[in-house]
Amino acid sequence: MVNKDQVAGVAKQVKGSVKQAAGKVTGNRQTEAEGAADKIAGKVQKTYGDVKDKVKKAF
């Protein structure tokens, strides 16, 4: 079962990847860094959703 944190985390990772790639193409280091930060935040949120799901299944 997928929860909203897992979905939002994956969406944030995709957004970060696109933003990071756009930063690389345009040479905008700030956009590239923001994209990398979004990807990391998305991974953290997805992991939180995964843990939340496992705890819910345990009970």
Side-chain angles (χ1 to χ4, degrees), residues 45-57:
Q45 188 170 9
K46 183 183 179 305
T47 301
Y48 169 74
D50 292 342
V51 170
K52 192 169 137 181
D53 192 44
K54 286 181 183 180
V55 168
K56 187 176 180 180
K57 286 180 182 179

Side-chain angles (χ1 to χ4, degrees), residues 17-55:
S17 293
V18 170
K19 198 171 187 178
Q20 188 176 24
K24 282 183 182 179
V25 169
T26 61
N28 188 333
R29 297 174 98 188
Q30 183 176 352
T31 302
E32 188 176 345
E34 288 172 359
D38 285 346
K39 280 174 53 175
I40 292 168
K43 286 180 184 182
V44 169
Q45 188 170 9
K46 183 183 179 305
T47 301
Y48 169 74
D50 292 342
V51 170
K52 192 169 137 181
D53 192 44
K54 286 181 183 180
V55 168

